[in-house]
């Protein structure tokens, strides 16, 4: 499994690295992570500091210290942020692209802006987006799965369940057997799907597919302190 994590903020890079390691905790021996930081040459004029490469990747390298899997960093300045991400994703022949984004981006235009452009240009690639709203350890995830279209979320989340050493609760509109899930110790019993129900404030990460995010966008954004990990399967 080769995963490309792409980020602008170094702290987001460390967060994406830790999340990737958790998601693929079952396949450490076969895991390869590429950390990408494309620096806009306009950043300085926009009020953002230009960081040296060591500053950009320091937090990620600290997270990677002692890891058993392959790890490399790629950074370069460019006016073309989206083409840079697309080119590295294709040249590295990755299996998954994990993007980091501020939650404000999502509240304004769903998955718009540069994130939306990447999704369109890499329509055949599996892409996950972390819409960060202050996610901190320990990770307390919940899966939003209204129908069978959400089935890819379960293999995607299995390693995370192993990493946190407990099952992940699921809000769903269909029976567990519909997904072919038989391991009762993997996920908690299912409960009726309702985003309007009383929110469990202990959860800080909602895992959902892109279609669900689009359908329930306005309701989801009402959840305070909740970050989103949104999976878009490739064509």
């Amino acid at each position: 499994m080769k995963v490309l994590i792409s980020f602008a903020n170094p702290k987001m890079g460390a967060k994406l690295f830790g999340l990737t390691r958790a998601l693929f905790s079952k396949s450490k021996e076969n895991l390869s992570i590429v950390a990408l930081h494309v620096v806009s040459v306009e950043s300085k004029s926009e009020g953002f500091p230009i960081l040296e490469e060591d500053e950009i990747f320091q937090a990620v390298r600290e997270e990677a210290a002692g890891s058993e899997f392959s790890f490399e960093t790629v950074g370069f300045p460019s006016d073309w942020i989206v083409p840079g991400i697309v080119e590295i994703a294709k040249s590295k022949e990755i299996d998954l692209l994990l993007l980091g984004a501020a939650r404000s981006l999502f509240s304004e235009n769903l998955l718009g802006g540069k994130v939306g452009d990447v999704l369109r240009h890499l329509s055949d690639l599996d892409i996950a987006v972390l819409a960060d709203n202050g996610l901190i350890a320990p990770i307390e995830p919940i899966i939003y799965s209204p129908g069978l279209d959400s089935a890819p979320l379960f293999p995607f989340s299995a390693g995370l369940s192993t990493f946190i050493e407990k099952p992940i609760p699921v809000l769903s509109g269909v029976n567990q057997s519909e997904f072919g899930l038989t391991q009762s110790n993997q996920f908690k019993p299912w409960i009726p799907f309702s985003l309007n129900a009383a929110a469990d404030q202990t959860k800080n990460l909602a895992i959902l597919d892109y279609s669900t995010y689009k359908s329930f966008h306005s309701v989801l954004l009402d959840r305070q302190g909740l970050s989103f990990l949104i999976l878009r399967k490739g064509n």
Side-chain angles (χ1 to χ4, degrees):
M1 170 62 70
K2 178 175 280 191
V3 181
L4 174 65
I5 61 173
S6 178
F7 59 94
N9 186 300
K11 291 182 179 179
M12 173 65 81
K15 194 170 293 190
L16 292 178
F17 182 90
L19 185 57
T20 301
R21 182 170 52 190
L23 286 167
F24 299 101
S25 61
K26 284 183 149 184
S27 55
K28 286 184 179 180
E29 294 180 0
N30 300 316
L31 179 60
S32 175
I33 299 178
V34 180
L36 171 64
H37 179 83
V38 183
V39 184
S40 171
V41 295
E42 298 178 350
S43 293
K44 192 171 184 179
S45 63
E46 295 171 356
F48 295 100
I50 300 296
L51 301 177
E52 299 295 331
E53 183 175 347
D54 286 344
E55 295 177 286
I56 292 168
F57 293 112
Q58 180 180 354
V60 178
R61 289 182 176 130
E62 289 175 356
E63 284 285 331
S67 299
E68 301 173 359
F69 46 81
S70 172
F71 171 68
E72 65 174 303
T73 60
V74 178
F76 56 88
S78 174
D79 265 336
W80 305 96
I81 303 296
V82 172
I85 294 173
V86 171
E87 176 60 29
I88 295 298
K90 291 181 176 179
S91 65
K92 294 293 184 180
E93 299 182 337
I94 62 170
D95 300 299
L96 174 73
L97 169 61
L98 181 55
L99 297 169
R103 186 180 175 188
S104 59
L105 168 69
F106 293 73
S107 62
E108 294 169 1
N109 191 22
L110 289 177
L111 293 179
K114 292 183 177 65
V115 173
D117 290 340
V118 171
L119 288 170
R120 286 187 288 274
H121 281 87
L122 295 173
S123 59
D124 59 340
L125 180 68
D126 291 352
I127 298 177
V129 182
L130 174 63
D132 184 32
N133 188 32
L135 180 65
I136 59 174
I139 298 174
E140 291 291 345
I142 186 168
I143 293 176
Y144 288 149
S145 174
L148 295 177
D149 289 343
S150 300
L153 293 175
F154 297 100
F156 177 68
S157 306
L160 181 57
S161 179
T162 300
F163 182 82
I164 64 176
E165 299 181 333
K166 60 184 177 181
I168 301 176
V170 179
L171 284 172
S172 179
V174 297
N175 190 289
Q176 179 172 346
S177 61
E178 295 282 343
F179 290 98
L181 297 175
T182 57
Q183 299 181 19
S184 60
N185 63 338
Q186 186 173 0
F187 298 104
K188 288 183 179 178
W190 297 52
I191 58 180
F193 181 77
S194 173
L195 294 177
N196 292 317
D200 184 346
Q201 297 299 327
T202 67
K203 305 304 176 188
N204 58 16
L205 180 66
I207 303 172
L208 63 165
D209 65 87
Y210 184 35
S211 295
T212 300
Y213 179 79
K214 289 193 295 183
S215 299
F216 296 96
H217 172 255
S218 59
V219 178
L220 288 168
L221 288 174
D222 288 337
R223 291 288 309 275
Q224 299 297 316
L226 187 67
S227 297
F228 305 112
L229 182 59
I230 304 165
L231 177 65
R232 199 292 310 272
K233 294 291 291 182
N235 298 331

